[in-house]
Amino acid sequence: MTSNYLQTAIEFLRGVGPQRAKVLKAEFNIFTYHDLLYYFPFRHVDKATVYHIRDIQTEGNYMQFQGDITGIQMLGEGRSRRLSAQFTDGTGTMELVWFNGVRWMEEIVRKNCHNVLIFGKPTIFNNRWNMTHPEIIDPNSNNGSSIKQHFFPLYNTSDKAKRAGLDSKAVAKLTATLLLDLQGHPIPETLPQPLVAQHRMMSLQEALFNIHYPENQTKLAAATVRLKFDELFYTQLKMLKLKLLTERRFRGHIFSRVGESFNEFYNHHLKFELTDAQKRVIKEIRADMGSGRQMNRLLQGDVGSGKTITALLVMLIANDNGFQSCLMAPTEILAQQHYANISKQVEGMGIGVALLTGSTKSAERKVIHQGLLDGSIRILIGTHALIENEVQFENLGLAVIDEQHRFGVEQRAKLWKKNRIPPHILVMTATPIPRTLAMTVYGDLDVSIIDELPKGRKPIITKHLYERDRNRLFYFLRQQVDAGRQVFVVYPLIQESEKMDLLDLQAGFDAMSRSFPLPRYAVGMVHGKMPNDVKEYEMQRFSKGETNILVSTTVIEVGIDIPNATVMVIENAERFGLSQLHQLRGRVGRGGVQSYCILMSGEKLSSDGKQRLDAMVSTTDGFEIANFDLKLRGPGDLQGTQQSGVLDFKIADIVKDEKLVSYTRELARQILEKDPDLTRPDNKILSEQLQERMKQEKFWGMIS
Ligand code: ADP
Ligand code: MG
């Protein structure tokens, strides 16, 4: 009965009606009482504190002042007609302005000139403090009800809503009406009582009251914690429950042994010692693939941490257990590089490796299809061409997806269907995302992290240069090239005009060619619009050291591995996002030689652009960069998280509430470990709530 009450349609609330209901639905997704109740204010205004004009630090905060009005004037004509009043509190002066209802306001202001409280947002206009449409309160009048309301909620609204009379104040009135009504209809708990008690949390009922109209700061804080806990806990419970369901639904191929091909490769072909992190990750993956469950694992590792070799070793384990593997890369260039490297590394071991991309000729394609069906091809490398329906395997046991954030959900899902029992899935990403975010966005995947770079790497030196430093840049590049090193020069793609972009690139290429005129220098160029074979040819030339300088667009952004390239020049660096800059920088610093990243920018920079370049100069740590990015842009914009929708929190903040994310995940894990089906009586509420919240969700485990 009570929960039904919360499902009452919003038009039945006093003060709403059909017109406003329409706006509430369209603008805020508020359809029911419940929705309004969960439409939280973004901030509260503290009406208990009186500030001094002298002490105002920034514009745009709601504040309250006490003082006298010393002059009133009506200004302007027609539409620009306005009421202006001088206000002083003894520490400074401020102009108060009204554009609406000026006649009526004038009367009110004239009546309340001495010792009034004014409330609103101070802003700077013509070099002085100014407040439009302040609230005026006479402290001597006994109905100072709005002052007693110490914490007043502020709600996000939209222009459309405001035009329909639904500004923040109006929404506040509605929530007040609703909360009053609800006193007769208790709100049912969403967490089991023992859990609430154990954490000394506020009840849901009290939290929902206090989140809108808190009695004091302490209660507001407690309400916030309670509601964040709800949100994060159920997110984690949902993720872990889904992981359980997936594990039950799909058996996994059992890779029980490490055999000949792994051992031979490890002992005779591997040119370096694996890092401890690589060894640990391989162990984690082995354990997973031997367990009888289907593996769904995310492998994270900063650029250059050596994910490819890790994946290759795992593919060899698949081979030792009689299964084929495939490795899917987001670009043709990267697929080609993986193919070249891997076939060279396993040379002489009798392992069939093939490359399948969009530009594979149809005759060759047929041969590959046959080789996959008869099992002579053990490792297939390719772009998304390898998920096409006609690509069928004899027995696919493992699918590796490199730079997984580049792929769409549907593309990944197709890999699942390549065998009767779905293959083990390993998705790799160099886009470092903070742990808590990974837990949430990929909450139903297991996560392995390579948190160590191979020994002997020198940190890349990053410099930010301006246009006026260009001669210095050329001088430096010449030194590097003369020392036998290679250089990338990358131009951004500004999609509005492809033609202009290519002209930019061409101009850059010409400038480079002019600056390196001697025959011992060679400059190459690649971009996405080139035919694939030309692209490949240019990449090969650079890879073999036949060109010293490669001018390119971001086609080389991901994955490219050319250890002799030690300088990355990024033109118009301010136009790139942080994670992209980090990826590009990761193309150098792969050998033991000191590498450099040079960020070129125009003289004029936006503050955002400047902050990004400063961040790049200050650290080479991908996780730090990611955290920085998160702060600059917010989690919704991070690569790979957009489509997931799991970050639509109403109140929790995945970055700031990191501890609570970890805590609730562990709690959810423990609960499911003891009672996987949530059938115990004390878990009844959890089970009901979970069902409610699992209705329409997408999960990575099923789709990755
Ligand atoms: P990413 O993780 O960015 O995909 P790669 O797999 O391309 O990195 O590896 C970067 C470079 O480091 C490659 O040239 C690779 O051969 C080399 N490498 C990988 N692991 C090690 C190691 N343990 N010791 C030395 N070099 C390594
Ligand atoms: Mg890579």
Side-chain angles (χ1 to χ4, degrees):
M1 152 77 212
T2 330
S3 62
N4 285 348
Y5 184 71
L6 283 182
Q7 292 314 318
T8 311
I10 196 66
E11 40 266 69
F12 295 108
L13 187 67
R14 259 171 300 127
V16 178
Q19 247 350 71
R20 283 184 158 192
K22 229 170 157 182
V23 178
L24 286 172
K25 287 174 196 173
E27 295 294 294
F28 312 132
N29 267 323
I30 297 177
F31 289 84
T32 61
Y33 285 9
H34 175 273
D35 297 339
L36 178 62
L37 196 56
Y38 277 83
Y39 194 72
F40 301 142
F42 65 90
R43 217 153 56 73
H44 288 86
V45 174
D46 178 358
K47 283 196 172 180
T49 313
V50 176
Y51 291 87
H52 292 303
I53 295 177
R54 181 179 60 204
D55 299 334
I56 312 173
Q57 308 257 336
T58 49
E59 296 186 277
N61 289 325
Y62 280 96
M63 295 173 133
Q64 178 167 261
F65 304 88
Q66 186 157 20
D68 298 326
I69 286 167
T70 55
I72 305 174
Q73 286 164 291
M74 200 63 88
L75 300 173
E77 285 299 325
R79 287 182 124 232
S80 63
R81 188 168 171 76
R82 62 196 187 273
L83 176 70
S84 159
Q86 302 305 311
F87 175 83
T88 174
D89 69 351
T91 75
T93 61
M94 179 154 16
E95 185 188 8
L96 313 180
V97 187
W98 289 265
F99 294 95
N100 303 330
V102 288
R103 283 269 156 241
W104 184 59
M105 267 327 294
E106 188 181 5
E107 217 169 288
I108 294 185
V109 175
R110 284 197 192 282
K111 268 194 232 150
N112 294 286
C113 273
H114 298 296
N115 198 24
V116 288
L117 281 167
I118 62 160
F119 175 78
K121 260 195 233 176
T123 52
I124 291 174
F125 186 72
N126 278 342
N127 275 327
R128 3 179 346 205
W129 288 112
N130 177 293
M131 193 185 276
T132 34
H133 289 186
E135 208 177 305
I136 298 231
I137 306 144
D138 174 4
N140 303 317
S141 76
N142 271 336
N143 70 352
S145 58
S146 38
I147 323 179
K148 273 189 214 136
Q149 189 78 69
H150 284 169
F151 292 94
F152 198 76
L154 296 179
Y155 297 90
N156 278 317
T157 57
S158 63
D159 285 346
K160 252 195 195 152
K162 278 183 197 147
R163 264 182 262 126
L166 282 166
D167 59 2
S168 172
K169 240 191 220 168
V171 177
K173 217 167 179 178
L174 295 181
T175 50
T177 308
L178 177 59
L179 288 169
L180 224 66
D181 274 9
L182 281 174
Q183 284 178 334
H185 302 264
I187 301 165
E189 252 307 331
T190 46
L191 291 174
Q193 193 44 45
L195 203 73
V196 177
Q198 181 201 338
H199 294 89
R200 299 211 175 79
M201 279 191 291
M202 228 181 213
S203 71
L204 182 66
Q205 166 109 1
E206 200 182 352
L208 285 170
F209 272 78
N210 277 285
I211 201 68
H212 293 280
Y213 289 95
E215 280 169 45
N216 53 43
Q217 287 284 11
T218 320
K219 290 224 169 177
L220 175 60
T224 307
V225 168
R226 163 63 216 248
L227 294 166
K228 283 181 173 182
F229 189 99
D230 245 44
E231 203 164 33
L232 292 172
F233 172 74
Y234 276 108
T235 305
Q236 296 300 340
L237 193 66
K238 204 161 64 178
M239 288 288 185
L240 292 173
K241 178 73 197 182
L242 247 117
K243 187 159 167 276
L244 264 179
L245 291 176
T246 314
E247 283 166 11
R248 273 191 205 163
R249 202 160 119 209
F250 300 102
R251 271 184 310 129
H253 303 289
I254 298 183
F255 294 179
S256 55
R257 26 185 241 118
V258 166
E260 210 178 305
S261 54
F262 181 94
N263 287 327
E264 193 193 333
F265 183 85
Y266 196 86
N267 296 325
H268 304 294
H269 290 245
L270 193 57
K271 299 231 169 54
F272 39 72
E273 175 78 10
L274 293 182
T275 61
D276 289 343
Q278 286 170 319
K279 288 181 191 163
R280 189 193 68 236
V281 164
I282 290 171
K283 266 198 202 123
E284 286 168 3
I285 294 173
R286 262 196 60 195
D288 218 2
M289 297 190 309
S291 71
R293 291 185 293 118
Q294 183 221 11
M295 174 175 79
N296 277 289
R297 189 170 283 273
L298 171 71
L299 173 54
Q300 265 198 67
D302 208 345
V303 280
S305 61
K307 292 183 292 294
T308 320
I309 196 74
T310 310
L312 175 57
L313 283 160
V314 177
M315 294 195 280
L316 293 174
I317 296 177
N319 187 49
D320 282 337
N321 287 275
F323 289 92
Q324 294 163 294
S325 339
C326 66
L327 167 61
M328 179 161 79
T331 65
E332 180 112 14
I333 288 184
L334 191 51
Q336 267 154 8
Q337 174 190 288
H338 281 327
Y339 174 71
N341 286 344
I342 288 176
S343 35
K344 199 162 98 204
Q345 280 169 316
V346 302
E347 208 173 326
M349 289 177 60
I351 294 177
V353 183
L355 174 69
L356 183 67
T357 70
S359 57
T360 307
K361 302 271 176 324
S362 69
E364 203 184 333
R365 213 170 262 264
K366 279 205 185 104
V367 177
I368 292 175
H369 288 170
Q370 191 48 44
L372 289 172
L373 278 176
D374 67 25
S376 57
I377 295 174
R378 308 308 302 163
I379 296 177
L380 178 67
I381 295 164
T383 55
H384 53 267
L386 61 75
I387 53 179
E388 279 161 21
N389 286 336
E390 62 271 25
V391 181
Q392 293 297 330
F393 294 80
E394 181 200 28
N395 200 3
L396 181 68
L398 168 72
V400 183
I401 304 173
D402 195 16
E403 308 292 348
Q404 64 84 26
H405 58 276
R406 292 295 184 105
F407 290 97
V409 166
E410 298 75 21
Q411 289 170 314
R412 290 189 295 252
K414 284 195 177 163
L415 280 171
W416 276 63
K417 309 218 173 81
K418 295 279 174 204
N419 201 344
R420 210 166 27 81
I421 296 176
H424 294 298
I425 306 275
L426 182 66
V427 300
M428 307 201 290
T429 183
T431 306
I433 54 177
R435 247 183 89 71
T436 49
L437 194 61
M439 273 178 195
T440 309
V441 179
Y442 305 109
D444 51 341
L445 301 187
D446 292 302
V447 179
S448 286
I449 301 179
I450 304 185
D451 51 5
E452 183 186 356
L453 292 179
K455 283 190 196 67
R457 294 268 175 88
K458 295 196 177 71
I460 300 165
I461 296 175
T462 304
K463 286 254 152 59
H464 172 198
L465 297 185
Y466 293 91
E467 228 11 80
R468 65 183 115 104
D469 305 316
R470 195 162 283 278
N471 282 336
R472 265 173 69 202
L473 171 71
F474 282 130
Y475 180 76
F476 171 72
L477 294 184
R478 195 158 312 150
Q479 272 184 329
Q480 286 287 310
V481 173
D482 286 342
R485 313 274 176 260
Q486 289 170 282
V487 178
F488 289 107
V489 182
V490 177
Y491 282 81
L493 264 193
I494 316 148
Q495 254 117 18
E496 288 109 64
S497 158
E498 228 167 65
K499 253 195 201 146
M500 285 295 292
D501 290 346
L502 290 182
L503 283 180
D504 266 8
L505 191 70
Q506 186 68 45
F509 173 75
D510 292 345
M512 275 299 158
S513 308
R514 269 199 308 281
S515 310
F516 290 87
L518 301 178
R520 68 169 188 274
Y521 301 126
V523 185
M525 176 165 74
V526 283
H527 58 77
K529 293 282 159 249
M530 278 175 166
N532 277 321
D533 46 343
V534 180
K535 227 188 310 185
E536 190 184 350
Y537 172 76
E538 282 294 340
M539 286 309 296
Q540 286 298 334
R541 286 215 311 152
F542 189 65
S543 169
K544 287 188 207 138
E546 291 168 13
T547 35
N548 313 100
I549 298 178
L550 187 66
V551 179
S552 85
T553 57
T554 50
V555 288
I556 58 125
E557 177 186 334
V558 290
I560 296 300
D561 182 41
I562 297 172
N564 191 48
T566 59
V567 186
M568 167 61 68
V569 180
I570 306 177
E571 296 285 351
N572 297 314
E574 74 275 17
R575 297 218 171 121
F576 291 95
L578 258 181
S579 62
Q580 214 179 0
L581 289 171
H582 183 66
Q583 273 283 349
L584 284 168
R585 177 166 60 184
R587 296 311 113 219
V588 296
R590 298 182 152 242
V593 183
Q594 181 61 57
S595 290
Y596 303 87
C597 173
I598 300 176
L599 308 166
M600 296 299 293
S601 84
E603 308 284 332
K604 278 205 183 128
L605 282 176
S606 69
S607 91
D608 252 28
K610 180 82 169 58
Q611 281 187 47
R612 284 198 297 270
L613 299 189
D614 287 350
M616 285 294 292
V617 171
S618 72
T619 180
T620 51
D621 181 324
F623 281 88
E624 264 184 56
I625 299 261
N627 273 320
F628 202 83
D629 208 17
L630 205 57
K631 286 201 191 101
L632 274 179
R633 297 196 299 167
D637 282 336
L638 278 195
Q639 268 184 352
T641 64
Q642 289 94 335
Q643 332 105 304
S644 71
V646 288
L647 292 177
D648 299 337
F649 292 121
K650 283 191 196 307
I651 188 164
D653 179 320
I654 196 82
V655 184
K656 292 196 195 121
D657 300 326
E658 190 175 337
K659 285 212 178 94
L660 202 52
V661 176
S662 309
Y663 182 79
T664 50
R665 181 169 179 91
E666 182 52 25
L667 184 68
R669 197 192 61 73
Q670 285 173 13
I671 289 172
L672 286 174
E673 195 176 66
K674 289 193 205 115
D675 185 14
D677 293 310
L678 298 175
T679 44
R680 291 192 193 178
D682 29 328
N683 288 336
K684 188 161 173 269
I685 291 187
L686 295 183
S687 157
E688 285 166 5
Q689 286 289 322
L690 198 58
Q691 270 178 22
E692 189 59 34
R693 290 162 203 244
M694 287 214 320
K695 272 177 190 161
Q696 1 104 352
E697 292 276 356
K698 277 186 182 171
F699 288 89
W700 293 91
M702 300 261 205
I703 55 186
S704 47

